[in-house]
Amino acid sequence: MGDNYKDLEELARSTTEDYYELLAVPFDAEESVVKRAYRKASIRYHPDKNPDNKDAADRFIALGWARDILIDPKLKGEYDRARTRRREKAFQDELLSGNRRKMKEELERRERESADFGASLKRKRAADLSEAEKREQEIQRLAEDGKRRRKEAQDRKDRARQDEEAAVAAATEPVKSPEPKAPRPGESAELDRTVKIRFHREGETATWDKDAVRSMFEKYGKIDSIIMGKDKKLKLEGEKHRKLVAMVFVVYGRLDHAHAAVSDAKADYPALELVAWANGEPDLSSVTNGNGASTTAAKYSATPAAPATPAAKSFRASFGSSLGAGNGATPLGTPKFSFSPKTPSLEEVTMMRLKNAEKKRLEDQIRKKEAAEAAQEAV
């Protein structure tokens, strides 16, 4: 009985069948009325009396469940609460569906009226329109104009955002460094015109910076750039302890100027620990003069490089001519600039960017070489 009661209790909560309608009894029917109605209905739907009706057996079983639930106060209360919730939900759904249907019908009616009114306004002349019709027509015109203006403003914002993104992408796009090319006859690579300088950070050299180095080495010739390396503690030959050493690279515009610095700077400034070629002494066998004759390294090294002597001046004049400085030509390695007040052309801007990229590549190459030498000396 306990299990059967639990089944009936669960059925009372979950069934969607209207047992009052099934037994044809009112909501407040007493137990005797429910039993009497069950006896009448069970006789009418008994399977033995309805052998051809397939639903009679299910109907007969449902009548028994309805009787058991409606005559038990607790089961009837559970069933009534569940039935009330179902009816309320169905009513709300029906009401909501009705409201939606009314809203849809109202919208369709307004659309039809608006279309009819617009068509009638077109047919009427301006003089025949009433004040209300004129106001309605103006309101519609303003609404359409506002919609068009909003669309145009949004299109302008989208185009401005796209242009800004394209400009940012173009500005942040890295400049590809040109592939290093072998110098043409009569030219020299920047690395071949680079002088490596080293000195201890002590005494008068403790405060030497890029400006100080430039003022010292400009007397040997025009300087393209100066690269200050990081100070490092190194153990040099003949020293017991490591000392803080500064490494500087000076890139000259001409090879003869670099040669003068390598030849004379150590004697002019004894505080310098080292003045040497950054990439080894360059091979001048491929450098030709303006007449196409070859200038050999022996001829170059035999000419004095000191700028303070007449011989040095004679050497520079001769070497500048051999590099193509004669006949009004610009000395090799010295960039040409236009001082026109006009805005630089695209070609000039491109050449400036390529030169900056080449300078950066040279700095990276020198720093790598410096790091390799420092590591070798530390060993």
Side-chain angles (χ1 to χ4, degrees):
M1 183 64 182
D3 295 339
N4 187 34
Y5 189 84
K6 289 182 179 179
D7 293 340
L8 289 174
E9 189 175 8
E10 180 65 26
L11 180 63
R13 294 194 191 100
S14 60
T15 185
T16 58
E17 186 78 29
D18 191 340
Y19 289 153
Y20 295 106
E21 183 179 352
L22 182 64
L23 292 174
V25 296
F27 175 77
D28 56 350
E30 297 180 354
E31 181 179 346
S32 59
V33 176
V34 172
K35 289 182 178 180
R36 190 182 313 115
Y38 167 73
R39 284 195 295 271
K40 291 181 180 179
S42 62
I43 293 173
R44 186 166 61 253
Y45 291 104
H46 197 282
D48 294 340
K49 292 187 177 183
N50 300 277
D52 298 331
N53 190 353
K54 297 181 179 180
D55 297 333
D58 296 336
R59 189 81 168 181
F60 182 78
I61 295 174
L63 289 171
W65 289 342
R67 178 202 59 189
D68 295 340
I69 290 174
L70 295 182
I71 64 176
D72 187 282
K74 183 178 179 181
L75 295 177
K76 184 177 184 300
E78 291 287 346
Y79 173 75
D80 289 343
R81 284 190 289 274
R83 179 172 175 267
T84 302
R85 287 194 295 270
R86 288 194 302 273
R87 291 169 67 87
E88 289 177 352
K89 186 177 184 304
F91 178 76
Q92 290 176 355
D93 293 343
E94 182 179 359
L95 183 62
L96 183 61
S97 299
N99 291 337
R100 289 177 177 173
R101 184 171 59 256
K102 289 181 180 179
M103 290 176 62
K104 181 180 178 182
E105 293 174 354
E106 180 68 16
L107 288 174
E108 292 176 350
R109 183 185 64 79
R110 290 186 179 183
E111 289 177 356
R112 287 194 302 270
E113 290 179 355
S114 177
D116 296 340
F117 181 74
S120 64
L121 286 180
K122 291 181 180 179
R123 289 192 298 269
K124 290 183 178 180
R125 293 181 303 173
D128 298 335
L129 295 177
S130 65
E131 292 298 328
E133 290 173 339
K134 290 180 180 179
R135 286 196 298 271
E136 184 67 22
Q137 188 179 36
E138 182 66 16
I139 290 173
Q140 289 185 358
R141 186 188 67 78
L142 292 175
E144 293 176 357
D145 186 63
K147 182 178 179 180
R148 177 182 59 79
R149 291 177 180 273
R150 287 193 297 272
K151 185 177 184 304
E152 291 176 353
Q154 185 62 37
D155 293 341
R156 286 195 298 270
K157 289 181 180 179
D158 293 341
R159 287 195 298 270
R161 177 174 52 79
Q162 293 174 0
D163 294 342
E164 183 179 357
E165 291 176 354
V168 170
T172 56
E173 183 178 0
V175 179
K176 295 183 179 180
S177 300
E179 294 294 332
K181 299 180 180 179
R184 293 178 296 180
E187 293 184 351
S188 58
E190 284 189 338
L191 193 59
D192 291 339
R193 294 181 270 109
T194 303
V195 177
K196 177 172 61 176
I197 305 167
R198 191 167 63 194
F199 54 87
H200 297 166
R201 284 291 189 188
E202 59 184 11
E204 63 174 325
T205 63
T207 58
W208 282 4
D209 56 5
K210 185 181 291 187
D211 293 335
V213 173
R214 182 180 293 276
S215 63
M216 293 162 53
F217 281 82
E218 272 184 339
K219 68 177 185 177
Y220 304 114
K222 179 176 173 56
I223 296 175
D224 275 356
S225 61
I226 296 178
I227 304 169
M228 298 290 294
K230 292 183 178 180
D231 294 350
K232 297 182 180 180
K233 286 188 176 182
L234 300 176
K235 186 177 180 182
L236 303 178
E237 185 177 357
E239 299 288 344
K240 294 183 179 180
H241 304 287
R242 293 178 180 268
K243 289 189 176 183
L244 188 62
V245 177
M247 186 74 72
V248 186
F249 295 90
V250 180
V251 183
Y252 280 96
R254 286 171 46 174
L255 197 58
D256 58 332
H257 297 167
H259 183 274
V262 173
S263 301
D264 298 346
K266 189 69 170 65
D268 294 342
Y269 304 103
L272 295 174
E273 192 269 330
L274 174 69
V275 180
W277 297 102
N279 196 34
E281 187 170 358
D283 182 11
L284 304 178
S285 59
S286 62
V287 179
T288 59
N289 56 23
N291 299 324
S294 176
T295 303
T296 62
K299 177 181 177 182
Y300 174 82
S301 60
T303 306
T309 62
K313 295 179 181 179
S314 175
F315 164 77
R316 293 180 185 175
S318 173
F319 190 78
S321 176
S322 69
L323 293 180
N327 300 326
T330 303
L332 294 173
T334 304
K336 296 181 180 179
F337 296 96
S338 174
F339 294 94
S340 173
K342 298 181 180 179
T343 304
S345 64
L346 179 61
E347 181 179 0
E348 291 173 338
V349 173
T350 303
M351 292 302 297
M352 291 172 64
R353 293 181 67 183
L354 290 175
K355 181 175 177 62
N356 291 335
E358 176 65 18
K359 181 179 178 181
K360 185 177 183 301
R361 183 190 64 78
L362 175 64
E363 291 181 359
D364 294 340
Q365 189 175 356
I366 290 176
R367 294 189 187 282
K368 289 180 181 179
K369 185 176 181 65
E370 178 192 4
E373 290 180 355
Q376 186 174 1
E377 291 176 358
V379 176

